[in-house]
């Protein structure tokens, strides 16, 4: 299964748990899945339990390292500023994301964390991968909340 499909499956599972449908996957240098996660903010009562952070933490624990310089992160939504900064701290090689987030994004929108002078590491960034599908998950989730 391709990485974005895995991330989308994590997002769908998050939605079923009542979480904002965002999923993330960390890939090792050989493309193997090291960790995968969906949002768990509501479940854990933890505002930082975003899919990206959960997957990055799990991959780092698995590898026994605080840095993942040869790893890629695939996520269904443009990371927020908190997650973008964490991606920089974990030294991720490549970030691939699905839907753009003009309101809360921190990569191509808003804070543009990787462009800040205080950012010590900028990964390669590829946005818009399966953007329509990832965006539709979010739109459907929030339409059901209104």
């Amino acid at each position: 299964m391709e990485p974005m499909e895995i991330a989308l499956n994590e997002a769908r599972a998050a939605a079923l748990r009542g979480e904002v449908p965002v999923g993330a996957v960390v890939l090792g240098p050989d493309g193997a899945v090291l960790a995968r996660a969906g949002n768990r903010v509501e479940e854990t009562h933890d505002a930082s339990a975003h899919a990206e952070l959960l997957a990055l933490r799990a991959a780092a624990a698995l590898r026994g390292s605080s840095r993942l310089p040869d790893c890629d992160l695939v996520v269904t939504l443009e990371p927020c500023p908190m997650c973008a900064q964490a991606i920089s701290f974990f030294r991720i090689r490549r970030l691939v994301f699905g839907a753009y987030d003009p309101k809360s994004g921190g990569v191509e929108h808003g804070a543009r964390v990787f462009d800040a002078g205080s950012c010590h590491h900028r990964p390669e960034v590829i946005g818009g991968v399966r953007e329509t599908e990832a965006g539709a998950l979010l739109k459907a989730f929030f339409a059901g909340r209104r």
Side-chain angles (χ1 to χ4, degrees):
M1 186 178 312
E2 63 108 3
M4 186 57 80
E5 183 62 29
I6 296 169
L8 286 163
N9 285 340
E10 289 292 332
R12 291 180 193 106
L16 292 174
R17 294 190 304 270
E19 302 279 354
V20 174
V22 177
V25 178
V26 177
L27 304 171
D30 61 354
V33 173
L34 298 179
R36 60 197 319 171
N39 277 355
R40 292 192 178 274
V41 171
E42 303 304 323
E43 175 187 333
T44 61
H45 309 291
D46 177 355
S48 72
H50 290 196
E52 300 96 318
L53 284 175
L54 297 173
L56 288 166
R57 289 173 183 154
L62 179 69
R63 296 197 62 201
S65 174
S66 60
R67 304 275 192 273
L68 301 167
D70 56 353
C71 295
D72 299 339
L73 176 68
V74 178
V75 61
T76 58
L77 180 64
E78 176 184 350
C80 72
M82 174 183 68
C83 291
Q85 193 65 60
I87 290 163
S88 176
F89 288 159
F90 278 97
R91 305 290 194 263
I92 287 294
R93 174 180 57 187
R94 181 180 303 115
L95 165 66
V96 177
F97 68 85
Y100 289 87
D101 189 351
K103 181 179 177 186
S104 302
V107 176
E108 302 287 334
H109 297 89
R112 297 180 187 262
V113 169
F114 302 141
D115 294 335
S118 59
C119 183
H120 297 290
H121 172 76
R122 178 186 170 84
E124 176 187 349
V125 176
I126 301 167
V129 175
R130 295 181 68 176
E131 176 183 6
T132 303
E133 190 174 354
L137 275 174
L138 290 155
K139 286 178 184 148
F141 177 80
F142 286 112
R145 299 265 181 195
R146 293 186 182 118

